[in-house]
Amino acid sequence: MSQGASADGARATVPAPAPAPGPAKEQRVTRQRLAVSAVLDELTDFVSTQELHRILQDRGTSVSLATSYRILQSLSDEGLVDVLRNADGEAVYRRCAVTGHHHHLLCRACGKAVEVEAPAVEAWAARTATEHGFTVVEHTVEIFGLCPDCTARRAGK
């Protein structure tokens, strides 16, 4: 699904572009990096840098917004967090519960995310790329809908 309105008119979240490959840069373990990591470990849904910064401030942890952006980008570059773009184009982050390549089910209403493995999608992507002569292929698949709780709320249950 591309960015824009979905079939029911809701704005969807789209994957952020993958970081450019390159040599891994060793990161210093700072108080700020540990604080950001601790918050990410506690959250189950995606969070924007601004939201993360507010949580840190509410806890009395002094981390500037610019530092929060840098740390999240670094964690993303290292593959330690998933990053998507919301309907407004803002990057949102979440600690990966699954290591390795995976996809997400995302609730359009509450933002709940479920990590899923999809072997059929992997086979389809490889086959499609081969059929068209593409090599060094990457892909992202995000499935958008309403989670069971939001579906029940919408139905008035």
Side-chain angles (χ1 to χ4, degrees):
M1 178 182 283
S2 62
Q3 183 173 356
S6 64
D8 69 357
R11 302 263 318 159
T13 303
V14 297
K25 181 180 174 186
E26 189 173 323
Q27 296 295 319
R28 289 185 322 141
V29 179
T30 63
R31 176 190 56 78
Q32 293 93 339
R33 187 175 168 95
L34 291 172
V36 166
S37 287
V39 170
L40 289 171
D41 287 342
E42 295 172 19
L43 299 175
T44 57
D45 293 328
F46 285 88
V47 63
S48 71
T49 307
Q50 300 258 350
E51 292 167 318
L52 178 87
H53 182 255
R54 182 191 48 75
I55 292 167
L56 291 166
Q57 297 303 304
D58 289 350
R59 293 179 178 186
T61 304
S62 177
V63 179
S64 73
L65 184 58
T67 299
S68 298
Y69 275 105
R70 282 193 299 273
I71 291 169
L72 286 169
Q73 184 59 54
S74 171
L75 292 171
S76 173
D77 291 346
E78 295 169 34
L80 299 174
V81 296
D82 285 332
V83 60
L84 303 173
R85 296 251 176 225
N86 66 18
D88 298 324
E90 179 181 32
V92 290
Y93 302 85
R94 188 179 81 154
R95 178 75 73 196
C96 298
V98 175
T99 58
H101 183 72
H102 60 278
H103 305 284
H104 299 99
L105 292 168
L106 298 160
C107 181
R108 285 190 301 260
C110 71
K112 177 180 179 175
V114 177
E115 293 175 338
V116 295
E117 293 184 25
V121 170
E122 305 309 319
W124 170 83
R127 186 177 62 253
T128 301
T130 300
E131 288 171 3
H132 294 277
F134 279 65
T135 62
V136 194
V137 174
E138 296 179 13
H139 70 273
T140 58
V141 175
E142 312 301 335
I143 302 169
F144 301 93
L146 294 178
C147 70
D149 292 340
C150 290
T151 299
R153 274 193 292 279
R154 186 174 266 192
K157 293 182 182 177

